[in-house]
Amino acid sequence: FLIEARISDIKKTFIMGKGGEASNIVASNIKLLETSEQKVWKSAYNPLDPNAPKLPSKSQVKASIPKRCFERSALKSFYYVFRDTVWAVALVYAVSLVVSTDIPPVFSLEMVKWIFVWNFYAFWMGTILTGHWVLAHECGHGAFSPNQTLNDIVGFIIHQALLVPYFAWQYSHAKHHRRTNHLTDGESHVPSTGQENGLDEHGERNSFYAILHEAIGDGAFAAVQIYTHLFIGWPVYLLGLASTGRNGADGAPLEEDDIMDHFRPGSKLFPPKMRAKAY
């Protein structure tokens, strides 16, 4: 059922029409799904069944959530900024008492200690600064405080400190939420096609990514996926080299050499009204 439903969804997208490369992508996915013989989990719930239980609407789900969950407090948000900053400063101070930035002799116990401590520092500082990143993320969503001007000021300062282009990412992230998992108009975590994953029109594994998966198995391939997503995925995405949409801001399919990065005001990611903010 899941495969049949997915084919139906893709065909609807195809019928609506995106033109050019987008249509080829959709047609390729239809062929792959229709010829797939892989067993998949099937839900007992069939939304196409006329007797299926009616699901609550989004407004009904929202109405069931306590109103206090939608209250925004600048004071509470600034407390989290202060708390995470204190943790970051404390970690810097603690590590400075144990090691220095001077590289010790290579073949020594001091080098073992130096490597261990700095890796410990990198892991925990990355964890702490993720808190700052999330706070700036909430600024972009308007959840930091009721005042969007304050949100943008705080979000800009924090994200710039973390080398994130705040306003450019704020725009693309809003698009990501509007068009989540859309094959052509999505942004960030856009589903890749079978061809992009190394499968031919018959579902055979022909290129690196698919062959690697088959060679090392699911577990090891999952580890590779974690590495590519968590270590290099974020900067590669901001540079427009992976996981971007397939249509520009004007709705036209991207050309082969187009790059929708977050840094150039002239990037096809942005409509004209956003280009000044992207500087």
Side-chain angles (χ1 to χ4, degrees):
F1 166 73
L2 292 179
I3 289 178
E4 292 173 355
R6 187 69 182 119
I7 292 172
S8 176
D9 289 343
I10 293 175
K11 282 181 174 177
K12 288 178 183 177
T13 304
F14 181 68
I15 292 170
M16 290 171 65
K18 289 293 180 182
E21 182 182 355
S23 296
N24 294 332
I25 289 171
V26 173
S28 173
N29 275 347
I30 291 173
K31 287 181 181 178
L32 286 174
L33 287 168
E34 287 178 334
T35 59
S36 174
E37 297 179 356
Q38 182 180 3
K39 293 182 179 180
V40 295
W41 173 81
K42 295 183 179 180
S43 171
Y45 177 76
N46 181 358
L48 302 180
D49 185 344
N51 297 318
K54 185 178 180 181
L55 296 178
S57 65
K58 288 190 289 185
S59 60
Q60 289 173 322
V61 172
K62 184 176 180 180
S64 69
I65 300 172
K67 291 185 178 180
R68 66 177 183 276
C69 295
F70 297 97
E71 295 174 357
R72 296 170 290 175
S73 168
L75 182 63
K76 188 173 184 179
S77 296
F78 274 116
Y79 160 73
Y80 288 124
V81 174
F82 174 77
R83 183 200 65 180
D84 289 0
T85 303
V86 168
W87 284 355
V89 171
L91 181 61
V92 171
Y93 177 71
V95 169
S96 70
L97 298 177
V98 180
V99 294
S100 71
T101 55
D102 298 329
I103 302 176
V106 176
F107 300 105
S108 66
L109 288 176
E110 191 65 25
M111 173 57 83
V112 175
K113 171 187 172 183
W114 191 85
I115 292 174
F116 173 80
V117 173
W118 280 117
N119 276 277
F120 174 90
Y121 169 83
F123 176 84
W124 286 109
M125 182 58 78
T127 302
I128 293 169
L129 293 183
T130 298
H132 290 82
W133 187 95
V134 171
L135 287 164
H137 165 274
E138 297 310 309
C139 289
H141 277 297
F144 187 87
S145 80
N147 187 316
Q148 190 55 42
T149 299
L150 176 63
N151 295 340
D152 286 341
I153 292 172
V154 174
F156 178 81
I157 293 172
I158 295 177
H159 264 182
Q160 292 299 107
L162 297 174
L163 305 181
V164 178
Y166 174 75
F167 289 109
W169 173 83
Q170 182 188 44
Y171 171 79
S172 68
H173 192 61
K175 182 182 177 185
H176 159 71
H177 280 287
R178 288 195 309 270
R179 310 290 279 171
T180 302
N181 288 336
H182 197 287
L183 283 171
T184 55
D185 289 338
E187 184 64 37
S188 172
H189 301 91
V190 176
S192 53
T193 65
Q195 183 180 9
E196 291 168 343
N197 285 329
L199 301 177
D200 65 16
E201 61 181 4
H202 303 295
E204 297 294 328
R205 302 171 188 263
N206 282 336
S207 63
F208 173 74
Y209 215 52
I211 292 174
L212 176 66
H213 185 188
E214 187 171 33
I216 66 178
D218 290 342
F221 188 72
V224 172
Q225 289 278 63
I226 291 172
Y227 172 78
T228 56
H229 280 74
L230 299 184
F231 284 80
I232 64 174
W234 173 242
V236 167
Y237 166 66
L238 290 181
L239 290 169
L241 301 177
S243 197
T244 63
R246 297 185 174 91
N247 289 342
D250 60 358
L254 297 177
E255 301 294 334
E256 184 175 351
D257 297 327
D258 286 337
I259 296 177
M260 290 209 302
D261 63 275
H262 287 70
F263 301 100
R264 295 175 300 121
S267 169
K268 288 190 175 182
L269 172 64
F270 308 120
K273 66 179 181 180
M274 266 299 303
R275 289 172 184 168
K277 278 190 170 184
Y279 273 103

